[in-house]
Amino acid sequence: MDSATKPRAVVVTGCSSGIGRAVALRLLRAGYAVHATARRVGDMEDLARAGAKVARVDVTDATSVNDCVREVEAVHGPVWGLVNNAGYALAGPVEDIGVEQVRHQFEVNVFGALRMAHAVLPGMRSAGEGRIVNISSVAGRFSLPGGGCYHASKHALTCLSDTLRLETRPFGVRVSTVEPAAVNTAFIDTALRVLASSGRGLPAYRTFRADLDRYYRQVQSRPRRHGLGTPQTVAAAVERALSARTPRPRYVVGAAAHLCLGLHDVLPRAWFETVVRLAFPLPGPGG
Ligand SMILES: NC(=O)c1ccc[n+]([C@@H]2O[C@H](COP(=O)([O-])OP(=O)(O)OC[C@H]3O[C@@H](n4cnc5c(N)ncnc54)[C@H](OP(=O)(O)O)[C@@H]3O)[C@@H](O)[C@H]2O)c1
């Protein structure tokens, strides 16, 4: 960014850990006026020390979303950039998860991003410019056992982003999706916690749940979490989406993400599902 011009204001959600924190730090270094948000404000003190404005925002709460955006607008005028990053994975078998929990998954991963977009877009339209970057996932292109509700939320986010991109481009607003595969953050820890509490208690899925728990723990305990991407790589893609003159519609991040999307796109559906059945835990006949 040109240092002679006024810094562009960018709001980032979910900055108290992982990808959001890396994005906030990267954008600060690039000279943006970063507004870092999350529910756990105490976990963003390092970002405040690095120069970010820090605010408590729960993306499921319209008042907290709107208050945050109005505060940024009062200082900077229209928000220039929005990075919708807040999210988590509701892990568990589709039949064995209550509808309320699925609703909450969508409240955060989908409606949260939509609420944020609704809050910033009037300003962006009036300014005739703006950028929205939605952190979706390769999980938004296919679906795996034990992750159906999370996948559904990321499919929805990717789909909304694709349409929003078409509809807001005439107003000068550019929308991109960032699609990583597995990244080394607290994401799996949260997924494990949610898995332990997401069940409706159906006996048919008891063993499958235990197998899923074991599978996620194996990924988590790999030495240096081998094979996982880094939050910094995702942050670099976010910066590209914000700074490119013509941002790409979608940024697929990392070799693993390219590999699984390549397999998904090239293999016939039945073959892809055979690979999935061989690689991931599934319920057995006795649960
Ligand atoms: N890690 C991966 O493997 C991976 C892969 C692809 C995509 N992603 C996506 O990347 C994004 C960030 O995940 P991460 O890996 O960085 O996980 P993380 O370390 O667990 O961070 C998740 C962030 O989301 C915030 N959050 C959760 N619920 C929120 C709410 N209701 N309101 C506001 N903020 C909320 C959390 O902050 P508070 O709890 O403080 O609110 C936290 O800062 C997610 O959208 C995730 O789906 C992750």
Side-chain angles (χ1 to χ4, degrees):
M1 210 166 46
D2 180 357
S3 57
T5 57
K6 198 173 146 218
R8 288 166 161 166
V10 179
V11 178
V12 186
T13 67
C15 291
S16 57
S17 89
I19 293 171
R21 163 173 287 138
V23 168
L25 288 170
R26 177 137 192 151
L27 297 185
L28 281 169
R29 280 197 297 273
Y32 291 94
V34 175
H35 293 259
T37 70
R39 291 168 303 175
R40 289 169 293 155
V41 205
D43 288 357
M44 296 188 288
E45 282 168 6
D46 56 329
L47 298 180
R49 280 194 298 275
K53 283 268 179 269
V54 160
R56 185 187 185 283
V57 173
D58 179 341
V59 297
T60 68
D61 173 8
T63 307
S64 101
V65 165
N66 291 329
D67 287 354
C68 162
V69 171
R70 297 300 85 86
E71 277 165 30
V72 178
E73 287 176 339
V75 177
H76 295 274
V79 171
W80 183 84
L82 166 65
V83 182
N84 274 317
N85 164 75
Y88 73 98
L90 171 55
V94 171
E95 188 189 350
D96 194 33
I97 294 180
V99 169
E100 275 315 311
Q101 282 160 316
V102 183
R103 211 186 296 281
H104 189 261
Q105 173 77 110
F106 275 70
E107 276 297 337
V108 177
N109 292 13
V110 184
F111 306 142
L114 195 56
R115 252 177 225 111
M116 292 295 306
H118 283 175
V120 301
L121 274 166
M124 288 180 175
R125 282 189 289 99
S126 72
E129 61 171 5
R131 299 272 166 113
I132 297 179
V133 181
N134 290 330
I135 310 296
S136 188
S137 167
V138 293
R141 305 258 215 124
F142 53 78
S143 197
L144 298 175
C149 299
Y150 174 66
H151 284 269
S153 74
K154 290 299 185 184
H155 276 258
L157 181 61
T158 298
C159 180
L160 284 174
S161 308
D162 287 346
T163 298
L164 199 59
R165 174 165 50 254
L166 294 166
E167 292 177 350
T168 59
R169 193 185 160 119
F171 300 107
V173 179
R174 299 303 188 101
V175 179
S176 297
T177 312
V178 171
E179 301 175 309
V183 181
N184 186 4
T185 66
F187 184 77
I188 301 178
D189 311 65
T190 307
L192 275 164
R193 263 203 319 280
V194 174
L195 176 68
S197 62
S198 70
R200 297 167 62 211
L202 298 182
Y205 295 102
R206 210 166 282 151
T207 309
F208 177 44
R209 279 184 169 275
D211 290 345
L212 278 175
D213 181 278
R214 206 171 304 117
Y215 176 82
Y216 294 142
R217 282 181 202 283
Q218 273 166 9
V219 175
Q220 199 185 31
S221 62
R222 282 183 206 152
R224 283 181 276 120
R225 299 201 176 183
H226 179 72
L228 302 188
T230 67
Q232 288 74 22
T233 319
V234 184
V238 171
E239 192 194 344
R240 283 200 296 282
L242 289 172
S243 61
R245 183 184 290 273
T246 310
R248 284 192 240 147
R250 294 175 174 185
Y251 291 80
V252 177
V253 184
H258 283 282
L259 178 66
C260 57
L261 286 184
L263 280 176
H264 176 257
D265 292 346
V266 165
L267 292 180
R269 175 109 218 135
W271 292 17
F272 182 77
E273 289 190 7
T274 301
V275 174
V276 169
R277 281 205 304 276
L278 292 171
F280 291 89
L282 282 168

PDB file of all heavy atoms in Angstrom, residues 152-176:
ATOM      1  N   ALA A 152     -21.380 -28.358   5.008  1.00  0.00           N
ATOM      2  CA  ALA A 152     -22.578 -27.663   4.498  1.00  0.00           C
ATOM      3  C   ALA A 152     -22.437 -26.161   4.707  1.00  0.00           C
ATOM      4  O   ALA A 152     -22.786 -25.351   3.839  1.00  0.00           O
ATOM      5  CB  ALA A 152     -23.818 -28.188   5.216  1.00  0.00           C
ATOM      6  N   SER A 153     -21.883 -25.755   5.867  1.00  0.00           N
ATOM      7  CA  SER A 153     -21.745 -24.316   6.146  1.00  0.00           C
ATOM      8  C   SER A 153     -20.736 -23.678   5.195  1.00  0.00           C
ATOM      9  O   SER A 153     -20.933 -22.553   4.726  1.00  0.00           O
ATOM     10  CB  SER A 153     -21.346 -24.074   7.608  1.00  0.00           C
ATOM     11  OG  SER A 153     -19.990 -24.410   7.833  1.00  0.00           O
ATOM     12  N   LYS A 154     -19.658 -24.399   4.883  1.00  0.00           N
ATOM     13  CA  LYS A 154     -18.640 -23.826   3.992  1.00  0.00           C
ATOM     14  C   LYS A 154     -19.119 -23.828   2.537  1.00  0.00           C
ATOM     15  O   LYS A 154     -18.801 -22.922   1.767  1.00  0.00           O
ATOM     16  CB  LYS A 154     -17.306 -24.565   4.142  1.00  0.00           C
ATOM     17  CG  LYS A 154     -16.622 -24.304   5.484  1.00  0.00           C
ATOM     18  CD  LYS A 154     -16.285 -22.817   5.691  1.00  0.00           C
ATOM     19  CE  LYS A 154     -15.514 -22.535   6.950  1.00  0.00           C
ATOM     20  NZ  LYS A 154     -15.266 -21.107   7.192  1.00  0.00           N
ATOM     21  N   HIS A 155     -19.906 -24.850   2.151  1.00  0.00           N
ATOM     22  CA  HIS A 155     -20.535 -24.817   0.817  1.00  0.00           C
ATOM     23  C   HIS A 155     -21.407 -23.565   0.713  1.00  0.00           C
ATOM     24  O   HIS A 155     -21.383 -22.854  -0.294  1.00  0.00           O
ATOM     25  CB  HIS A 155     -21.399 -26.058   0.588  1.00  0.00           C
ATOM     26  CG  HIS A 155     -20.641 -27.255   0.101  1.00  0.00           C
ATOM     27  ND1 HIS A 155     -20.631 -27.658  -1.206  1.00  0.00           N
ATOM     28  CD2 HIS A 155     -19.862 -28.131   0.769  1.00  0.00           C
ATOM     29  CE1 HIS A 155     -19.873 -28.736  -1.346  1.00  0.00           C
ATOM     30  NE2 HIS A 155     -19.396 -29.040  -0.154  1.00  0.00           N
ATOM     31  N   ALA A 156     -22.192 -23.313   1.778  1.00  0.00           N
ATOM     32  CA  ALA A 156     -23.094 -22.150   1.763  1.00  0.00           C
ATOM     33  C   ALA A 156     -22.290 -20.860   1.666  1.00  0.00           C
ATOM     34  O   ALA A 156     -22.647 -19.943   0.902  1.00  0.00           O
ATOM     35  CB  ALA A 156     -23.965 -22.150   3.020  1.00  0.00           C
ATOM     36  N   LEU A 157     -21.193 -20.765   2.415  1.00  0.00           N
ATOM     37  CA  LEU A 157     -20.388 -19.540   2.403  1.00  0.00           C
ATOM     38  C   LEU A 157     -19.758 -19.315   1.020  1.00  0.00           C
ATOM     39  O   LEU A 157     -19.773 -18.197   0.495  1.00  0.00           O
ATOM     40  CB  LEU A 157     -19.296 -19.617   3.488  1.00  0.00           C
ATOM     41  CG  LEU A 157     -18.389 -18.396   3.613  1.00  0.00           C
ATOM     42  CD1 LEU A 157     -19.184 -17.141   3.981  1.00  0.00           C
ATOM     43  CD2 LEU A 157     -17.284 -18.633   4.664  1.00  0.00           C
ATOM     44  N   THR A 158     -19.234 -20.389   0.433  1.00  0.00           N
ATOM     45  CA  THR A 158     -18.621 -20.271  -0.894  1.00  0.00           C
ATOM     46  C   THR A 158     -19.666 -19.838  -1.920  1.00  0.00           C
ATOM     47  O   THR A 158     -19.426 -18.963  -2.765  1.00  0.00           O
ATOM     48  CB  THR A 158     -17.981 -21.623  -1.306  1.00  0.00           C
ATOM     49  OG1 THR A 158     -16.961 -21.923  -0.357  1.00  0.00           O
ATOM     50  CG2 THR A 158     -17.377 -21.568  -2.698  1.00  0.00           C
ATOM     51  N   CYS A 159     -20.840 -20.430  -1.806  1.00  0.00           N
ATOM     52  CA  CYS A 159     -21.920 -20.135  -2.751  1.00  0.00           C
ATOM     53  C   CYS A 159     -22.382 -18.671  -2.612  1.00  0.00           C
ATOM     54  O   CYS A 159     -22.520 -17.953  -3.615  1.00  0.00           O
ATOM     55  CB  CYS A 159     -23.047 -21.108  -2.451  1.00  0.00           C
ATOM     56  SG  CYS A 159     -24.447 -20.927  -3.485  1.00  0.00           S
ATOM     57  N   LEU A 160     -22.576 -18.218  -1.364  1.00  0.00           N
ATOM     58  CA  LEU A 160     -22.972 -16.815  -1.147  1.00  0.00           C
ATOM     59  C   LEU A 160     -21.898 -15.871  -1.685  1.00  0.00           C
ATOM     60  O   LEU A 160     -22.213 -14.831  -2.289  1.00  0.00           O
ATOM     61  CB  LEU A 160     -23.180 -16.536   0.346  1.00  0.00           C
ATOM     62  CG  LEU A 160     -24.462 -17.075   0.968  1.00  0.00           C
ATOM     63  CD1 LEU A 160     -24.452 -16.833   2.479  1.00  0.00           C
ATOM     64  CD2 LEU A 160     -25.683 -16.416   0.343  1.00  0.00           C
ATOM     65  N   SER A 161     -20.630 -16.241  -1.477  1.00  0.00           N
ATOM     66  CA  SER A 161     -19.531 -15.390  -1.946  1.00  0.00           C
ATOM     67  C   SER A 161     -19.564 -15.265  -3.465  1.00  0.00           C
ATOM     68  O   SER A 161     -19.340 -14.178  -4.014  1.00  0.00           O
ATOM     69  CB  SER A 161     -18.171 -15.977  -1.541  1.00  0.00           C
ATOM     70  OG  SER A 161     -18.136 -16.261  -0.182  1.00  0.00           O
ATOM     71  N   ASP A 162     -19.818 -16.404  -4.144  1.00  0.00           N
ATOM     72  CA  ASP A 162     -19.826 -16.380  -5.613  1.00  0.00           C
ATOM     73  C   ASP A 162     -20.894 -15.426  -6.141  1.00  0.00           C
ATOM     74  O   ASP A 162     -20.660 -14.666  -7.090  1.00  0.00           O
ATOM     75  CB  ASP A 162     -20.067 -17.799  -6.168  1.00  0.00           C
ATOM     76  CG  ASP A 162     -18.838 -18.699  -6.000  1.00  0.00           C
ATOM     77  OD1 ASP A 162     -17.741 -18.172  -5.702  1.00  0.00           O
ATOM     78  OD2 ASP A 162     -18.978 -19.929  -6.159  1.00  0.00           O
ATOM     79  N   THR A 163     -22.066 -15.456  -5.518  1.00  0.00           N
ATOM     80  CA  THR A 163     -23.137 -14.569  -5.986  1.00  0.00           C
ATOM     81  C   THR A 163     -22.873 -13.118  -5.582  1.00  0.00           C
ATOM     82  O   THR A 163     -23.058 -12.190  -6.382  1.00  0.00           O
ATOM     83  CB  THR A 163     -24.505 -15.035  -5.428  1.00  0.00           C
ATOM     84  OG1 THR A 163     -24.753 -16.336  -5.922  1.00  0.00           O
ATOM     85  CG2 THR A 163     -25.619 -14.111  -5.886  1.00  0.00           C
ATOM     86  N   LEU A 164     -22.405 -12.946  -4.341  1.00  0.00           N
ATOM     87  CA  LEU A 164     -22.113 -11.587  -3.863  1.00  0.00           C
ATOM     88  C   LEU A 164     -21.082 -10.914  -4.769  1.00  0.00           C
ATOM     89  O   LEU A 164     -21.168  -9.721  -5.063  1.00  0.00           O
ATOM     90  CB  LEU A 164     -21.589 -11.673  -2.422  1.00  0.00           C
ATOM     91  CG  LEU A 164     -21.631 -10.405  -1.580  1.00  0.00           C
ATOM     92  CD1 LEU A 164     -23.050  -9.880  -1.442  1.00  0.00           C
ATOM     93  CD2 LEU A 164     -21.052 -10.687  -0.183  1.00  0.00           C
ATOM     94  N   ARG A 165     -20.105 -11.717  -5.230  1.00  0.00           N
ATOM     95  CA  ARG A 165     -19.065 -11.176  -6.125  1.00  0.00           C
ATOM     96  C   ARG A 165     -19.709 -10.600  -7.393  1.00  0.00           C
ATOM     97  O   ARG A 165     -19.387  -9.499  -7.830  1.00  0.00           O
ATOM     98  CB  ARG A 165     -18.062 -12.286  -6.480  1.00  0.00           C
ATOM     99  CG  ARG A 165     -17.020 -11.885  -7.502  1.00  0.00           C
ATOM    100  CD  ARG A 165     -15.867 -12.868  -7.548  1.00  0.00           C
ATOM    101  NE  ARG A 165     -16.269 -14.249  -7.666  1.00  0.00           N
ATOM    102  CZ  ARG A 165     -16.226 -15.152  -6.698  1.00  0.00           C
ATOM    103  NH1 ARG A 165     -15.784 -14.830  -5.512  1.00  0.00           N
ATOM    104  NH2 ARG A 165     -16.623 -16.388  -6.914  1.00  0.00           N
ATOM    105  N   LEU A 166     -20.652 -11.363  -7.958  1.00  0.00           N
ATOM    106  CA  LEU A 166     -21.306 -10.913  -9.195  1.00  0.00           C
ATOM    107  C   LEU A 166     -22.181  -9.681  -8.939  1.00  0.00           C
ATOM    108  O   LEU A 166     -22.220  -8.746  -9.739  1.00  0.00           O
ATOM    109  CB  LEU A 166     -22.166 -12.047  -9.768  1.00  0.00           C
ATOM    110  CG  LEU A 166     -21.380 -13.266 -10.261  1.00  0.00           C
ATOM    111  CD1 LEU A 166     -22.311 -14.452 -10.493  1.00  0.00           C
ATOM    112  CD2 LEU A 166     -20.631 -12.930 -11.551  1.00  0.00           C
ATOM    113  N   GLU A 167     -22.867  -9.697  -7.785  1.00  0.00           N
ATOM    114  CA  GLU A 167     -23.835  -8.632  -7.525  1.00  0.00           C
ATOM    115  C   GLU A 167     -23.211  -7.319  -7.054  1.00  0.00           C
ATOM    116  O   GLU A 167     -23.823  -6.261  -7.203  1.00  0.00           O
ATOM    117  CB  GLU A 167     -24.861  -9.114  -6.473  1.00  0.00           C
ATOM    118  CG  GLU A 167     -25.768 -10.218  -7.002  1.00  0.00           C
ATOM    119  CD  GLU A 167     -26.732 -10.758  -5.955  1.00  0.00           C
ATOM    120  OE1 GLU A 167     -26.582 -10.424  -4.761  1.00  0.00           O
ATOM    121  OE2 GLU A 167     -27.628 -11.528  -6.332  1.00  0.00           O
ATOM    122  N   THR A 168     -22.024  -7.389  -6.433  1.00  0.00           N
ATOM    123  CA  THR A 168     -21.448  -6.156  -5.879  1.00  0.00           C
ATOM    124  C   THR A 168     -20.350  -5.566  -6.764  1.00  0.00           C
ATOM    125  O   THR A 168     -19.940  -4.425  -6.559  1.00  0.00           O
ATOM    126  CB  THR A 168     -20.874  -6.379  -4.458  1.00  0.00           C
ATOM    127  OG1 THR A 168     -19.874  -7.390  -4.529  1.00  0.00           O
ATOM    128  CG2 THR A 168     -21.961  -6.775  -3.487  1.00  0.00           C
ATOM    129  N   ARG A 169     -19.899  -6.323  -7.751  1.00  0.00           N
ATOM    130  CA  ARG A 169     -18.857  -5.809  -8.651  1.00  0.00           C
ATOM    131  C   ARG A 169     -19.293  -4.506  -9.342  1.00  0.00           C
ATOM    132  O   ARG A 169     -18.494  -3.571  -9.463  1.00  0.00           O
ATOM    133  CB  ARG A 169     -18.504  -6.892  -9.681  1.00  0.00           C
ATOM    134  CG  ARG A 169     -17.241  -6.580 -10.443  1.00  0.00           C
ATOM    135  CD  ARG A 169     -17.006  -7.623 -11.525  1.00  0.00           C
ATOM    136  NE  ARG A 169     -16.112  -7.055 -12.513  1.00  0.00           N
ATOM    137  CZ  ARG A 169     -14.935  -7.533 -12.814  1.00  0.00           C
ATOM    138  NH1 ARG A 169     -14.494  -8.611 -12.243  1.00  0.00           N
ATOM    139  NH2 ARG A 169     -14.196  -6.938 -13.728  1.00  0.00           N
ATOM    140  N   PRO A 170     -20.555  -4.401  -9.767  1.00  0.00           N
ATOM    141  CA  PRO A 170     -20.971  -3.130 -10.402  1.00  0.00           C
ATOM    142  C   PRO A 170     -20.830  -1.920  -9.467  1.00  0.00           C
ATOM    143  O   PRO A 170     -20.784  -0.787  -9.933  1.00  0.00           O
ATOM    144  CB  PRO A 170     -22.453  -3.370 -10.748  1.00  0.00           C
ATOM    145  CG  PRO A 170     -22.594  -4.850 -10.819  1.00  0.00           C
ATOM    146  CD  PRO A 170     -21.633  -5.407  -9.824  1.00  0.00           C
ATOM    147  N   PHE A 171     -20.767  -2.154  -8.154  1.00  0.00           N
ATOM    148  CA  PHE A 171     -20.600  -1.044  -7.196  1.00  0.00           C
ATOM    149  C   PHE A 171     -19.130  -0.824  -6.825  1.00  0.00           C
ATOM    150  O   PHE A 171     -18.831  -0.058  -5.909  1.00  0.00           O
ATOM    151  CB  PHE A 171     -21.387  -1.337  -5.907  1.00  0.00           C
ATOM    152  CG  PHE A 171     -22.865  -1.511  -6.134  1.00  0.00           C
ATOM    153  CD1 PHE A 171     -23.452  -2.760  -6.056  1.00  0.00           C
ATOM    154  CD2 PHE A 171     -23.675  -0.411  -6.422  1.00  0.00           C
ATOM    155  CE1 PHE A 171     -24.810  -2.926  -6.270  1.00  0.00           C
ATOM    156  CE2 PHE A 171     -25.038  -0.568  -6.632  1.00  0.00           C
ATOM    157  CZ  PHE A 171     -25.613  -1.829  -6.560  1.00  0.00           C
ATOM    158  N   GLY A 172     -18.234  -1.576  -7.483  1.00  0.00           N
ATOM    159  CA  GLY A 172     -16.799  -1.410  -7.199  1.00  0.00           C
ATOM    160  C   GLY A 172     -16.293  -2.300  -6.079  1.00  0.00           C
ATOM    161  O   GLY A 172     -15.158  -2.153  -5.628  1.00  0.00           O
ATOM    162  N   VAL A 173     -17.144  -3.219  -5.601  1.00  0.00           N
ATOM    163  CA  VAL A 173     -16.741  -4.090  -4.486  1.00  0.00           C
ATOM    164  C   VAL A 173     -16.283  -5.437  -5.057  1.00  0.00           C
ATOM    165  O   VAL A 173     -16.955  -6.012  -5.909  1.00  0.00           O
ATOM    166  CB  VAL A 173     -17.916  -4.308  -3.508  1.00  0.00           C
ATOM    167  CG1 VAL A 173     -17.513  -5.236  -2.373  1.00  0.00           C
ATOM    168  CG2 VAL A 173     -18.405  -2.964  -2.963  1.00  0.00           C
ATOM    169  N   ARG A 174     -15.129  -5.924  -4.579  1.00  0.00           N
ATOM    170  CA  ARG A 174     -14.587  -7.203  -5.051  1.00  0.00           C
ATOM    171  C   ARG A 174     -14.677  -8.223  -3.925  1.00  0.00           C
ATOM    172  O   ARG A 174     -14.272  -7.929  -2.799  1.00  0.00           O
ATOM    173  CB  ARG A 174     -13.134  -7.043  -5.485  1.00  0.00           C
ATOM    174  CG  ARG A 174     -12.927  -6.051  -6.634  1.00  0.00           C
ATOM    175  CD  ARG A 174     -13.767  -6.458  -7.839  1.00  0.00           C
ATOM    176  NE  ARG A 174     -13.443  -5.644  -9.000  1.00  0.00           N
ATOM    177  CZ  ARG A 174     -12.648  -6.049  -9.999  1.00  0.00           C
ATOM    178  NH1 ARG A 174     -12.102  -7.244  -9.979  1.00  0.00           N
ATOM    179  NH2 ARG A 174     -12.423  -5.247 -11.016  1.00  0.00           N
ATOM    180  N   VAL A 175     -15.177  -9.400  -4.247  1.00  0.00           N
ATOM    181  CA  VAL A 175     -15.355 -10.456  -3.240  1.00  0.00           C
ATOM    182  C   VAL A 175     -14.519 -11.677  -3.633  1.00  0.00           C
ATOM    183  O   VAL A 175     -14.612 -12.141  -4.777  1.00  0.00           O
ATOM    184  CB  VAL A 175     -16.844 -10.864  -3.125  1.00  0.00           C
ATOM    185  CG1 VAL A 175     -17.030 -11.979  -2.098  1.00  0.00           C
ATOM    186  CG2 VAL A 175     -17.711  -9.650  -2.764  1.00  0.00           C
ATOM    187  N   SER A 176     -13.719 -12.173  -2.708  1.00  0.00           N
ATOM    188  CA  SER A 176     -12.914 -13.372  -2.970  1.00  0.00           C
ATOM    189  C   SER A 176     -13.144 -14.396  -1.872  1.00  0.00           C
ATOM    190  O   SER A 176     -13.486 -14.055  -0.736  1.00  0.00           O
ATOM    191  CB  SER A 176     -11.414 -13.042  -2.980  1.00  0.00           C
ATOM    192  OG  SER A 176     -11.098 -12.152  -4.013  1.00  0.00           O
TER     193      SER A 176
END
